[in-house]
């Protein structure tokens, strides 16, 4: 069995490396990770606006519009930030100026937006307003795929023209910042003309087309489709078992869907939709707090077993892995036990999150568990993270312990088999001689 896993790992490794090392995929992944501080802090304001205290909503009602601004200017325009960071990261692989590339990516994305003409309007402060304005909504998660495409195309144009010396070359005495700015003049012109013609003259809604084309995949993976949720779990856990970083391989593909899904939930919740009626079940936070208790594969239960193991090695590894496991970091377990290429522990590593996702999904569609509305850091202990993510729902807090107990039951027989093997191996490595036994 171990040899078969090794052969499968060797077979899939080139494919995994091809995805993980592809420059555009890397740029998308790194660009979205770069805006993580904004989305995390923005999510905390959602939590702050919905503290579960009697009379709290009435107390903050006069200030809600003001308190909502940090969320709107972080998560609410995440696509604008992503267009900059994705372009900047892609430029590194081409050795282009990162700041210039970031601005070109942002410019391309903004050109896909259609300004709103207000002939007459009133602000929340009662001031009359007129003029042309960029709406925030297309800059939210709704426009994320348009931002990704626009930023990639902008950098490719910049790179193409740079390679062919289509630029204004300044003397060497000119400061590099000034030279870089003049070098980007022609690419800037081309990018403006291209996106302006496509969106505003030809009236082609690029983001709408991309969303339409990707919607079936998005709805399958992060919407409400149980089989899509199970497939995501199987792929992530399967890659881990083969020694391949599952999230690193799937991240560039699925993370835009995850980010869009939680942003849609958060926006709907802020608009007054109940946490039980939000559009998406299988957000990244759903997996994080109900399935990845201790990390991928729900390994915290296995860590606890290791802590009380009769095997010296497993007991030591359990103690070393306990604190990281509390904060959902389980690489010490995956590579230390190891779970990688381990046919005994591989079974519960996959089976446990599959069982938990089925139970959590069933409770969610029965409106016993709410859907995720916020995005706390993944290193937060699972019970607290689950409660914060679901508008301080106590049932989510309780169910984390239930899922932990279920994972404990599933892991137990496999742990005992593995423990016996390890104890026998330790006896073989350190045999008790007859003289020692007589002493």
């Amino acid at each position: 069995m171990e040899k078969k896993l090794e052969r499968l790992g060797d077979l899939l490794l080139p494919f995994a490396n091809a995805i993980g090392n592809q420059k555009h995929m890397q740029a998308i992944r790194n660009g979205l990770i770069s805006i993580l501080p904004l989305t995390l802090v923005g999510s905390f304001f959602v939590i702050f606006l919905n503290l579960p205290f009697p009379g709290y909503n009435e107390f903050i009602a006069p200030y809600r519009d003001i308190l909502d601004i940090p969320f709107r200017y972080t998560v609410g325009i995440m696509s604008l930030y992503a267009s900059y960071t994705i372009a900047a990261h892609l430029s590194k692989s081409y050795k282009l100026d990162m700041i210039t590339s970031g601005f070109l990516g942002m410019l391309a994305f903004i050109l896909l937006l259609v300004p709103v003409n207000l002939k007459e309007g009133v602000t929340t402060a009662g001031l009359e307003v007129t003029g042309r304005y960029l709406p925030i909504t297309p800059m939210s998660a709704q426009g994320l795929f348009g931002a990704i495409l626009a930023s990639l195309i902008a950098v490719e144009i910049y790179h193409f023209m740079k390679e062919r010396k289509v630029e204004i070359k300044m003397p060497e005495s000119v400061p590099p910042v000034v030279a870089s700015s003049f070098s980007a003049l022609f690419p800037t012109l081309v990018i403006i003309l291209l996106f302006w013609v496509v969106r505003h003259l030809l009236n082609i809604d690029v983001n709408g087309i991309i969303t339409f084309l990707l919607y079936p995949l998005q709805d399958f993976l992060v919407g409400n489709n149980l089989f899509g949720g199970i497939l995501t779990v199987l792929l992530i856990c399967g890659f881990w078992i083969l020694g391949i970083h599952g999230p690193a391989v799937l991240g560039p593909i699925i993370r835009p869907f995850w980010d869009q899904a939680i942003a849609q939930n958060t926006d709907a919740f802020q608009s007054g939709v109940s946490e039980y009626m939000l559009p998406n079940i299988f957000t990244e936070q759903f997996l994080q707090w109900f399935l990845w208790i201790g990390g991928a594969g729900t390994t915290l239960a296995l860590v606890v077993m290791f802590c009380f193991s009769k095997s010296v090695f497993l007991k030591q590894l359990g103690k070393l892995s306990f604190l990281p496991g509390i904060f959902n970091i389980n690489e010490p377990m995956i590579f230390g036990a190891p779970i990688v290429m381990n046919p005994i522990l591989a079974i519960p590593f996959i089976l446990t999150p599959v069982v938990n996702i089925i139970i959590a999904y069933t409770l969610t569609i029965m409106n016993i568990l709410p859907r995720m509305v916020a995005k706390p850091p993944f290193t937060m202990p699972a019970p607290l993270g689950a409660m914060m993510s679901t508008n301080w729902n106590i049932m989510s807090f309780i169910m984390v312990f239930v899922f932990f107990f279920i994972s404990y039951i599933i892991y137990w027989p496999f742990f005992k088999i593995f423990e016996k093997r390890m104890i026998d191996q330790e006896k073989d490595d350190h045999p008790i001689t007859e003289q020692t036994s007589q002493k």
Side-chain angles (χ1 to χ4, degrees):
M1 182 66 175
E2 289 183 32
K3 291 183 178 179
K4 290 182 179 179
L5 286 175
E6 288 179 6
R7 283 198 296 269
L8 182 59
D10 293 338
L11 184 65
L12 291 177
L13 188 59
F15 167 74
N17 286 336
I19 294 178
N21 296 328
Q22 206 280 328
K23 58 177 175 288
H24 297 93
M25 291 293 190
Q26 279 188 330
I28 295 171
R29 180 187 64 203
N30 295 335
L32 293 176
I33 291 174
S34 295
I35 66 170
L36 194 59
L38 295 172
T39 55
L40 289 178
V41 173
S43 294
F44 272 112
F45 275 89
V46 175
I47 297 168
F48 175 72
L49 284 169
N50 297 276
L51 294 175
F53 303 137
Y56 183 76
N57 286 336
E58 292 76 10
F59 171 73
I60 68 165
Y63 317 104
R64 182 170 286 275
D65 288 336
I66 297 174
L67 294 173
D68 182 54
I69 288 176
F71 165 74
R72 296 297 170 188
Y73 288 0
T74 52
V75 180
I77 55 173
M78 63 181 295
S79 295
L80 181 63
Y81 299 123
S83 65
Y84 181 94
T85 56
I86 291 171
H89 279 286
L90 179 58
S91 71
K92 290 175 66 177
S93 63
Y94 291 133
K95 297 181 180 179
L96 299 172
D97 184 76
M98 290 182 63
I99 295 177
T100 301
S101 300
F103 280 127
L104 291 177
M106 186 185 294
L107 170 65
F109 171 62
I110 291 176
L111 284 166
L112 293 179
L113 307 180
V114 178
V116 175
N117 285 312
L118 285 182
K119 295 182 180 180
E120 188 177 339
V122 180
T123 67
T124 55
L127 300 174
E128 294 184 3
V129 292
T130 58
R132 305 184 78 196
Y133 299 90
L134 281 178
I136 284 183
T137 301
M139 290 187 270
S140 66
Q142 185 182 104
L144 185 57
F145 290 106
I148 292 171
L149 181 64
S151 58
L152 297 181
I153 291 176
V155 175
E156 288 297 335
I157 291 173
Y158 185 23
H159 175 244
F160 178 86
M161 298 184 72
K162 189 82 171 176
E163 286 288 294
R164 284 151 184 80
K165 310 296 183 183
V166 184
E167 59 181 335
I168 298 176
K169 202 74 175 176
M170 301 298 290
E172 293 184 3
S173 59
V174 174
V177 174
V178 177
S180 177
S181 298
F182 275 91
S183 176
L185 283 176
F186 287 143
T188 301
L189 176 61
V190 172
I191 289 167
I192 290 175
L193 290 175
L194 174 64
F195 286 88
W196 172 63
V197 168
V198 169
R199 184 65 184 98
H200 300 275
L201 293 185
L202 301 180
N203 198 29
I204 298 174
D205 185 359
V206 176
N207 190 66
I209 294 172
I210 297 171
T211 302
F212 175 78
L213 293 175
L214 292 177
Y215 180 78
L217 181 60
Q218 177 187 1
D219 190 52
F220 180 70
L221 291 177
V222 301
N224 304 319
N225 191 306
L226 177 59
F227 297 105
I230 292 175
L231 176 62
T232 302
V233 168
L234 291 176
L235 289 173
I236 291 175
C237 292
F239 276 118
W240 270 124
I241 288 169
L242 297 174
I244 301 169
H245 196 293
V249 175
L250 295 178
I253 300 170
I254 198 172
R255 183 159 297 285
F257 294 123
W258 274 339
D259 287 345
Q260 194 170 50
I262 188 61
Q264 288 172 349
N265 279 10
T266 305
D267 194 53
F269 180 70
Q270 285 293 87
S271 301
V273 179
S274 167
E275 59 266 35
Y276 293 94
M277 303 301 294
L278 298 174
N280 302 300
I281 293 178
F282 295 116
T283 62
E284 183 180 15
Q285 290 65 42
F286 181 93
L287 304 181
Q288 181 64 59
W289 307 126
F290 294 151
L291 309 185
W292 302 155
I293 304 171
T298 326
T299 54
L300 188 59
L302 186 62
V303 171
V304 173
M305 294 177 201
F306 277 21
C307 288
F308 298 96
S309 175
K310 296 177 182 177
S311 163
V312 176
F313 171 74
L314 295 185
K315 187 171 185 176
Q316 187 65 27
L317 180 61
K319 291 179 179 179
L320 293 172
S321 302
F322 182 75
L323 190 59
I326 290 292
F327 297 100
N328 306 305
I329 298 170
N330 66 345
E331 277 83 351
M333 286 293 292
I334 289 176
F335 297 104
I339 293 174
V340 172
M341 301 295 181
N342 187 328
I344 298 174
L345 296 181
I347 296 173
F349 187 80
I350 293 178
L351 181 61
T352 300
V354 169
V355 171
N356 283 346
I357 198 174
I358 294 172
I359 296 172
Y361 172 80
T362 303
L363 294 176
T364 301
I365 62 174
M366 292 173 64
N367 289 337
I368 295 174
L369 278 176
R371 304 181 187 193
M372 301 293 164
V373 304
K375 187 179 181 178
F378 82 94
T379 51
M380 187 167 288
L384 183 58
M387 188 168 65
M388 293 176 69
S389 295
T390 54
N391 191 30
W392 304 99
N393 187 277
I394 190 65
M395 182 56 70
S396 300
F397 181 89
I398 294 171
M399 283 307 301
V400 170
F401 292 97
V402 174
F403 292 133
F404 174 84
F405 180 70
I406 292 171
S407 64
Y408 199 97
I409 293 173
I410 295 174
Y411 268 106
W412 178 255
F414 298 95
F415 160 71
K416 295 305 291 183
I417 295 171
F418 186 62
E419 181 189 47
K420 184 178 184 303
R421 173 190 282 189
M422 293 302 297
I423 291 174
D424 292 343
Q425 183 177 322
E426 288 170 4
K427 287 180 179 178
D428 292 338
D429 292 341
H430 304 283
I432 302 175
T433 63
E434 184 177 350
Q435 182 179 3
T436 305
S437 62
Q438 288 176 354
K439 288 182 181 180

